[in-house]
């Protein structure tokens, strides 16, 4: 990263303050239920949040804070049984036509079939960077931790501490990277049976409604964007061991774990879809992003 880019990054971080991981998450404090007409609920003194979907409507929530870089963890228990046609989305996003976004989406399926975990990265309004996985456990039987680590060098998607995908900063070869737009956390449970399950072949069976997903143990060790503070994420990250995420990368052990997941559980990778990108593969696909 050149000196001009470093200066621009530092300026973009000047409106941030650090939230330390020691602050236990509470959904009353951290989240707003934004739609669903009562189908989203905060329970257990703020320790549990549930979203429900029935035929009239789904539901959703968003974080009160916006973040510019951080390590975001959420434990989620997905819709059990026949969840075909449903999508549970959990993601970071900014707003506007050139928005940035970092996506987890869980595509429901018939009972006994695996969920599809869909990931994507948008930068400057452009996505089309999908990787999809099946999971090595039943994500409906218990809570599992889904994490996004986002720093100026990379984005790492992890499940229960196991990295499944890394998207590196490839600005040096002309690929935009999310680094200037603060993002909120969003989650929603909604009906997408026109495409979600086997390309829309399997429709939602409303006799199983309401469908419910559950959330707990939210944690954001992150830079919270506020308009009034002049503190810098970059400076604080160097001064505090609590902010190791700011320069974190995958060590050799975690690189091997990620390769194991991708070898055994990846079912789609945009970087190998030559039919889709017949005019030429995205430039980042020539790098370790596809490893």
């Amino acid at each position: 990263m050149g000196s001009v880019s470093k200066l621009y990054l530092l300026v973009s971080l000047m409106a941030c303050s650090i939230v330390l991981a020691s602050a236990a998450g509470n959904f009353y404090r951290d989240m707003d239920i934004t739609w669903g007409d009562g189908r989203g609920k905060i329970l257990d003194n703020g320790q549990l949040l549930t979203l429900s979907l029935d035929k009239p409507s789904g539901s959703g929530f968003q974080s009160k804070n916006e973040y510019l870089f951080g390590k975001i963890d959420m434990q989620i228990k997905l819709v059990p049984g026949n969840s075909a046609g449903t999508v549970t989305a959990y993601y970071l996003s900014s707003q506007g036509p050139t928005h940035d976004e970092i996506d987890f989406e869980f595509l429901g399926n018939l009972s006994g079939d695996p969920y599809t975990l869909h990931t994507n990265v948008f930068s400057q309004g452009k996505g089309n960077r999908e990787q999809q996985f099946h999971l090595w456990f039943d994500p409906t039987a218990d809570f599992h931790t889904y994490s996004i680590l986002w720093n100026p060098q990379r984005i790492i998607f992890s499940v229960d501490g196991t990295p499944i995908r890394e998207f590196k900063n490839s600005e040096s070869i002309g690929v935009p990277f999310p680094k200037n737009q603060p993002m909120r956390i969003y989650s929603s449970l909604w009906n997408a049976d026109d495409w979600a399950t086997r390309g829309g072949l399997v429709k939602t069976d409303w006799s199983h409604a309401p469908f419910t997903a559950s959330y707990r143990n939210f944690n954001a060790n992150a830079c919270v964007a506020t308009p009034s503070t002049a503190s810098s994420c970059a400076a604080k990250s160097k001064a505090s061991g609590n902010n190791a995420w700011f320069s974190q990368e995958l060590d050799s052990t975690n690189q091997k774990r990620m390769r194991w997941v991708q070898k055994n559980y990846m079912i789609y990778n945009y970087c190998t879809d030559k039919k889709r990108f017949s005019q030429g593969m995205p430039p980042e696909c020539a790098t370790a992003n596809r490893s």
Side-chain angles (χ1 to χ4, degrees), residues 172-183:
S172 62
I173 57 173
V175 180
F177 185 82
K179 69 174 187 180
N180 301 317
Q181 300 185 67
M183 296 195 268

Side-chain angles (χ1 to χ4, degrees), residues 47-225:
Q47 300 305 301
L48 179 70
L49 189 154
T50 61
L51 295 181
S52 292
L53 162 70
D54 55 25
K55 198 166 186 178
S57 180
S59 51
F61 66 85
Q62 70 182 42
S63 62
K64 295 179 186 291
N65 288 324
E66 291 183 303
Y67 303 95
L68 184 62
F69 305 125
K71 171 99 168 13
I72 310 293
D73 304 308
M74 182 78 81
Q75 289 193 331
I76 307 174
K77 182 164 67 173
L78 296 174
V79 175
N82 181 356
S83 59
T86 72
V87 172
T88 306
Y90 169 62
Y91 58 103
L92 290 166
S93 183
S94 61
Q95 299 297 308
T98 58
H99 77 290
D100 296 334
E101 190 171 317
I102 304 169
D103 290 344
F104 276 114
E105 287 187 305
F106 304 91
L107 312 185
N109 223 324
L110 293 170
S111 300
D113 289 346
Y115 260 79
T116 296
L117 170 53
H118 175 100
T119 66
N120 203 355
V121 176
F122 287 74
S123 53
Q124 293 298 304
K126 181 180 180 295
N128 300 322
R129 300 185 178 101
E130 301 91 344
Q131 290 184 358
Q132 294 183 341
F133 305 82
H134 286 156
L135 295 168
W136 50 97
F137 53 83
D138 179 358
T140 73
D142 204 349
F143 288 89
H144 293 270
T145 303
Y146 302 92
S147 304
I148 295 169
L149 182 138
W150 170 36
N151 65 33
Q153 294 80 39
R154 57 187 44 82
I155 296 163
I156 299 171
F157 299 79
S158 298
V159 178
D160 289 337
T162 296
I164 63 170
R165 176 179 184 178
E166 179 180 30
F167 184 83
K168 292 183 178 179
N169 184 331
S170 298
E171 289 178 306
S172 62
I173 57 173
V175 180
F177 185 82
K179 69 174 187 180
N180 301 317
Q181 300 185 67
M183 296 195 268
R184 291 188 195 276
I185 298 161
Y186 296 88
S187 189
S188 58
L189 175 56
W190 52 290
N191 179 44
D193 66 3
D194 56 333
W195 64 270
T197 304
R198 294 180 57 200
L201 293 177
V202 183
K203 302 301 183 182
T204 303
D205 183 349
W206 294 110
S207 69
H208 294 277
F211 303 96
T212 301
S214 302
Y215 303 75
R216 71 180 187 189
N217 290 347
F218 165 70
N219 189 69
N221 187 6
C223 176
V224 176

